[in-house]
Amino acid sequence: MKRKILFLGESYRADAITWMKGLKEFGDFEIITWELQTSNNYRFKRILEYFLAPASIRKTIRKEKPDMVIAERTTSYGFLAAISGSKTIAIAQQGRTDLWPEESKLYPFKKFIQKYAFKKAHLIHAWGPVMAIHMKASGVDMDKVLVLPKGIDLSLFTSSINNSNKIEAIVTRSLMPEYRHDSILKAFAILHQKEIDFSLTIVGDGTRLQFLKDLAKELQIENKVIFTGRIPNTELPKLLQQSNIYISMPITEGVSASLFEAMACNCYPIVSEIPGNQSWIAHRENGQLIEIDNIEMLAKELIWSFENPESRNEAIIRNRKFVEENANYNINMKIIAEKYHELLDSLQ
């Protein structure tokens, strides 16, 4: 009889889809899902739904009888998993700490419920080393922690050679304030002023879409910037393969599957200098690290990267090898699925 998993989290997210797909494929699990129905845009209503969630989740558990519950984000769905009454629980920390924003009035509450979720979970996922650092500092029993990214499908995200004589950059992060697309556009405006040719593709959707379109127009670079809007993940590899530089400027980061996807497709990474990126990128060795909101530095490093093709080519070869060895979905998800079966066997 197939083992059944209840997934608590936003099932439409690419990250969640990868996680669930891998468990079906390599663990032969049946997956059922539960998630909050209220959009983040309706804050009060969503918080109210969150407080009513435990009863709804317990009802789902009684009806579906899952063998285990898994959940993303230690401060939201992870806590709901911890109080679900399930005998087997795995939770995943999504961000560097999940305690974000740090200036939030809810910070002490988030810290409290995260500690409880850590205590109750039988397995805790750190998708990268930067997350494990926070867990250790929080007093987590590190024997429960699995430090391993889910990985990406290397049969889809394949390497390609781009011999373009201009910068063909791509950004694949959600159009939200924390990803600093405005700084990226301003850096490209500097390139435009210097008469350096480029194209910039901005993939995805978010609250800043219209603002960013207006900004591109104001900076007089709208003819060189393509906003694709939301696209199916199956179309992403082709866009990455057509690009030669990947840019990501978040102010906080856990483990970025987007970065791994770009590295797999031979895009040279230029990313913000934060711990989540420093785990994978060394400045001017296999990419570049840029101070947050330092527009001049971003423009300068974009120019440097394009004027040093030899260094760039060495980096993309090294990055593809790194992803094959450390972020291969076929290998990593098999390990994760086996770990779940071991956990269930040991707790039954």
Side-chain angles (χ1 to χ4, degrees), residues 101-288:
E102 288 178 5
E103 65 278 5
S104 167
K105 288 176 183 175
L106 291 172
Y107 184 89
F109 174 68
K110 285 183 177 181
K111 201 167 183 179
F112 170 77
I113 65 172
Q114 183 184 64
K115 197 163 187 176
Y116 186 81
F118 281 151
K119 187 181 173 185
K120 294 295 282 184
H122 302 97
L123 175 68
I124 304 166
H125 288 286
W127 302 127
V130 72
M131 297 164 170
I133 292 166
H134 166 71
M135 290 173 188
K136 196 169 185 181
S138 302
V140 171
D141 174 2
M142 296 307 283
D143 288 339
K144 297 198 293 188
V145 177
L146 177 62
V147 186
L148 189 73
K150 292 183 289 293
I152 58 164
D153 189 339
L154 295 174
S155 66
L156 295 176
F157 294 92
T158 56
S159 56
S160 66
I161 302 300
N162 183 314
N163 293 316
S164 177
N165 58 357
K166 70 174 187 179
I167 292 170
E168 294 187 352
I170 189 166
V171 185
T172 63
R173 310 308 299 269
S174 301
L175 309 190
M176 307 296 278
E178 58 266 30
Y179 290 110
R180 295 298 198 263
H181 292 77
D182 51 341
S183 292
I184 296 169
L185 288 172
K186 287 170 187 173
F188 275 94
I190 294 172
L191 267 61
H192 180 62
Q193 286 160 13
K194 292 179 183 286
E195 298 184 345
I196 295 168
D197 197 14
F198 69 85
S199 72
L200 173 62
T201 301
I202 296 178
V203 178
D205 200 358
T207 57
R208 304 273 277 180
L209 179 59
Q210 195 53 53
F211 167 81
L212 294 167
K213 283 182 174 179
D214 292 342
L215 181 60
K217 199 167 187 177
E218 187 188 316
L219 296 169
Q220 299 180 343
I221 57 171
E222 74 271 24
N223 294 336
K224 298 190 171 193
V225 181
I226 300 156
F227 289 92
T228 69
R230 194 188 294 272
I231 62 163
N233 212 43
T234 48
E235 288 180 24
L236 188 57
K238 189 181 175 187
L239 290 176
L240 286 166
Q241 287 154 2
Q242 289 167 354
S243 308
N244 48 28
I245 290 175
Y246 166 82
I247 306 173
S248 178
M249 292 289 132
I251 57 174
T252 184
E253 187 78 277
V255 169
S256 171
S258 302
L259 174 59
F260 292 151
E261 289 164 356
M263 290 164 80
C265 292
N266 285 7
C267 282
Y268 181 78
I270 300 181
V271 296
S272 51
E273 191 177 15
I274 56 174
N277 288 327
Q278 288 167 316
S279 297
W280 321 109
I281 303 298
H283 188 59
R284 290 195 179 180
E285 285 183 30
N286 68 326
Q288 278 151 278

